[in-house]
């Protein structure tokens, strides 16, 4: 049974903010690129497999779109793995470490886009998007318990599975509203972030959107530090 603290406590509230950051980054990257997913690894996997079969039948090779999707998946996994390693070695129980890595990644992606393309009205190109996928992967290492990721911030499908499970448990009398409320609010955070990312992607065009996302992630890092990590460090 999920407790009230687990569902709406300090860590849970922070997870809503960082889920919103993940949604914002994903939406902004999607709108200002050629439609690449940086949070939706299920979609990238299906795109890689299905487009691979299609191009295999028609040309005898795996087409670039399938390969691009596969590289995004590798970048995402690399972001999780490196962030987890850094947590074990340097950050311990400080969620702001993952957001720092994500912030650096977003600013790096913006800089790479500027170097490769300039900001002349073109969409964000593929190489910076790979760096963004890495950054989102790193963000998912913000919450760790017993050496395992406890709240996957960009894994919306898993959140909805847990939400449905919690609703069933509450409905049959085996749990309380807290079994589903936390997941509902986490999902709402992601939706709010995606909507905000859509607004950012509409107002800020081209590679500038990556710097805008980086600035917002930096703000989330400050919130993470002063509301959670600072208490741990000073306490």
């Amino acid at each position: 049974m999920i407790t009230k603290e687990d569902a709406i406590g300090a860590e849970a509230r922070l997870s809503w903010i960082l889920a919103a950051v993940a949604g914002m980054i994903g939406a902004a990257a999607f709108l200002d690129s050629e439609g690449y997913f940086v949070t939706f690894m299920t979609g990238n996997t299906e795109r890689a497999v299905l487009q691979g079969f299609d191009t295999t039948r028609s040309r005898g090779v795996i087409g670039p779109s399938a390969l691009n999707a596969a590289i995004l998946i590798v970048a995402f996994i690399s972001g999780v793995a490196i962030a987890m390693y850094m947590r074990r070695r340097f950050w311990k129980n400080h969620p702001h470490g993952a957001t720092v890595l994500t912030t650096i990644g977003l600013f790096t992606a913006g800089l790479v886009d500027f170097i490769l393309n300039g900001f002349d009205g073109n969409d964000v190109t593929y190489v910076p998007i790979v760096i963004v996928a890495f950054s989102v992967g790193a963000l998912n290492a913000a919450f760790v318990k017993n050496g395992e990721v406890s709240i996957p911030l960009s894994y919306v499908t898993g959140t909805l599975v847990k939400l449905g499970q919690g609703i069933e448990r509450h409905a049959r009398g085996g749990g309380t509203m807290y079994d589903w409320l936390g997941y509902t609010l986490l999902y709402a955070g992601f939706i709010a972030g995606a909507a905000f990312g859509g607004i950012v992607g509409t107002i800020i065009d081209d590679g500038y959107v990556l710097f805008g996302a980086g600035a917002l992630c930096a703000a989330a890092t400050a919130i993470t530090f002063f509301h959670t990590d600072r208490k741990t460090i000073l306490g």
Side-chain angles (χ1 to χ4, degrees), residues 22-49:
M24 178 269 297
I25 296 171
F30 180 83
L31 290 175
D32 282 274
S33 70
E34 296 178 356
Y36 291 113
F37 298 124
V38 296
T39 58
F40 185 36
M41 294 303 118
T42 302
N44 280 328
T45 300
E46 291 183 340
R47 174 183 288 179
V49 173

Side-chain angles (χ1 to χ4, degrees), residues 191-212:
I191 292 175
F196 186 71
I199 295 172
V200 171
T202 301
I203 296 174
I204 306 176
D205 293 325
D206 320 315
Y208 290 111
V209 72
L210 298 178
F211 289 112

Side-chain angles (χ1 to χ4, degrees), residues 33-94:
S33 70
E34 296 178 356
Y36 291 113
F37 298 124
V38 296
T39 58
F40 185 36
M41 294 303 118
T42 302
N44 280 328
T45 300
E46 291 183 340
R47 174 183 288 179
V49 173
L50 296 177
Q51 290 186 5
F53 276 117
D54 180 63
T55 52
T56 297
R57 287 197 301 268
S58 61
R59 299 175 187 152
V61 295
I62 297 178
S65 294
L67 179 60
N68 287 348
I71 291 173
L72 288 176
I73 295 168
V74 172
F76 184 90
I77 294 173
S78 298
V80 177
I82 291 174
M84 286 297 295
Y85 172 78
M86 294 184 70
R87 280 200 67 119
R88 295 182 195 278
R89 287 296 302 272
F90 308 111
W91 302 334
K92 301 302 180 183
N93 294 320
H94 304 310

